[in-house]
Amino acid sequence: MAGRTLPWGVVGTAGGAGLLLAALTRITGETGERLSLHLLRAAVLAFAMGLVFLLDDPARHTTATVPTPRPVRVALRVVLVVPATAAWWTAALLLVPPELRPPVADVTLEAGAAFALAVAGAAVAVRFTEVTRPGPRVAAGLLTSAVLAMVCWPGRWALFVPVEDERWAAAHDRWAVLLAGAVLVGALGAVEPLRRWAWPVVRGR
């Protein structure tokens, strides 16, 4: 049942766009590894833009009354999309020529953080709003944040650095922190909203 409600069309479209970007690394010619890294990062962002729609549910206010808690419903959606995400990422890496492919473990960490941030953003939007389709808003926020991070992020805390940059290792320590933070925020966002205490009304005799 949960599998049929997932936005596979949006995720598939975003994944196709991402694979097309990854495939462009095969025609970069002499531009080398740096452009391939940029294209691979763009592919990750494209797929993440599809994942922000993961928790869109037009029947959200109807399913809120079902006995299955929200954390379980969110976790089920995430679990169902994990195999597809892993397969997509493997295909994206294989599309990059081996001689141009950046360090796999490090770029996988970047991809995992981006995907976790996308889902966490969707979970927070669902947690704190009544919108049934938060995907478009979260996608706009994710895209804006990615652009601002590339343009305005302080150099001493740089995230998007080339492989040959001496800050590469430190940058990926920060990516690991982002990943852990995104998982924590996503888990907290999946929790049911706290109910306000209703003080009993004492009727006069």
Side-chain angles (χ1 to χ4, degrees):
M1 178 65 180
R4 292 197 296 270
T5 63
L6 289 176
W8 290 116
V10 177
V11 175
T13 301
L19 291 180
L20 179 60
L21 288 167
L24 291 178
T25 59
R26 294 185 171 272
I27 59 174
T28 55
E30 298 179 357
T31 53
E33 188 174 4
R34 177 173 295 197
L35 182 55
S36 294
L37 178 60
H38 291 326
L39 287 170
L40 197 54
R41 283 171 171 164
V44 168
L45 179 59
F47 190 73
M49 296 291 284
L51 291 180
V52 300
F53 293 87
L54 183 63
L55 302 184
D56 281 16
D57 184 5
R60 170 187 172 187
H61 300 302
T62 302
T63 57
T65 60
V66 301
T68 306
R70 179 191 293 175
V72 176
R73 300 198 303 270
V74 172
L76 183 58
R77 284 180 170 240
V78 172
V79 167
L80 287 173
V81 84
V82 164
T85 302
W88 178 89
W89 179 238
T90 301
L93 287 174
L94 291 176
L95 283 171
V96 181
E99 66 275 11
L100 300 179
R101 192 177 299 150
V104 172
D106 290 335
V107 292
T108 299
L109 176 61
E110 293 185 23
F115 299 157
L117 284 169
V119 177
V124 169
V126 170
R127 172 70 169 77
F128 292 103
T129 72
E130 296 297 321
V131 179
T132 57
R133 297 180 183 271
R137 299 181 184 181
V138 180
L142 179 65
L143 181 59
T144 301
S145 299
V147 172
L148 290 177
M150 288 186 286
V151 175
C152 304
W153 199 261
R156 59 179 177 173
W157 298 329
L159 292 170
F160 301 99
V161 299
V163 176
E164 66 275 10
D165 195 303
E166 61 182 9
R167 299 171 295 173
W168 178 266
H172 286 84
D173 290 339
R174 289 187 280 272
W175 277 110
V177 173
L178 274 179
L179 173 59
V183 172
L184 178 59
V185 170
L188 293 175
V191 176
E192 296 281 2
L194 294 175
R195 301 181 185 276
R196 295 181 179 180
W197 288 100
W199 293 97
V201 177
V202 179
R203 299 180 180 274
R205 295 181 180 179

